[in-house]
Amino acid sequence: SFVQWASYVFYIAGLALLATTLAAPGERVFIRFFSFVACVLLSKIVIVMRQLSLEAATGALAAVVLCLPFLVLRMRAVAVISAAFIVGGFVIAELASDPAGITRAFNWIPFVGQLETR
């Protein structure tokens, strides 16, 4: 699914760039972050007993490639780009249509499902 792949790419790239802005200068947080992502994806197989999806694996690799050009920018610019990637991943995931072709309702209120009483 292209939508799932794109949301993985934007979420992981955004979080990786956010981690680089929060780290002390000179730390190798970029390599550590993607090592952590690889461990999480591989542990999904063992712990959750599910298959590793092609979207998740290739999305993580595409996020590495997407992040590389932004590492040379100033930290403030990287933080803005990071926020844009995270918001972009959220928008892509929320605006995805059903396999039946029906779009879902866009939810701006967090935990609205838990707040509604039936």
Side-chain angles (χ1 to χ4, degrees):
S1 163
F2 176 76
V3 172
Q4 187 67 33
W5 176 81
S7 63
Y8 272 118
V9 170
F10 282 120
Y11 278 143
I12 294 173
L15 291 174
L17 291 176
L18 180 64
T20 59
T21 61
L22 297 175
E27 274 193 55
R28 294 182 172 217
V29 71
F30 189 75
I31 295 169
R32 289 181 188 167
F33 179 82
F34 279 104
S35 299
F36 175 73
V37 168
C39 289
V40 167
L41 290 177
L42 291 176
S43 67
K44 178 181 176 182
I45 299 168
V46 178
I47 297 172
V48 186
M49 298 294 187
R50 299 189 68 189
Q51 295 178 356
L52 180 62
S53 66
L54 184 62
E55 291 93 355
T58 58
L61 291 175
V64 172
V65 174
L66 182 64
C67 286
L68 289 176
F70 299 112
L71 294 176
V72 296
L73 299 176
R74 292 183 185 175
M75 284 300 132
R76 186 173 295 222
V78 172
V80 170
I81 292 167
S82 167
F85 281 167
I86 293 171
V87 169
F90 176 74
V91 168
I92 288 171
E94 287 294 317
L95 292 179
S97 63
D98 254 355
I102 303 168
T103 58
R104 296 178 288 162
F106 193 70
N107 181 10
W108 283 100
I109 304 170
F111 306 112
V112 73
Q114 288 79 15
L115 296 175
E116 292 177 354
T117 57
R118 293 183 185 215

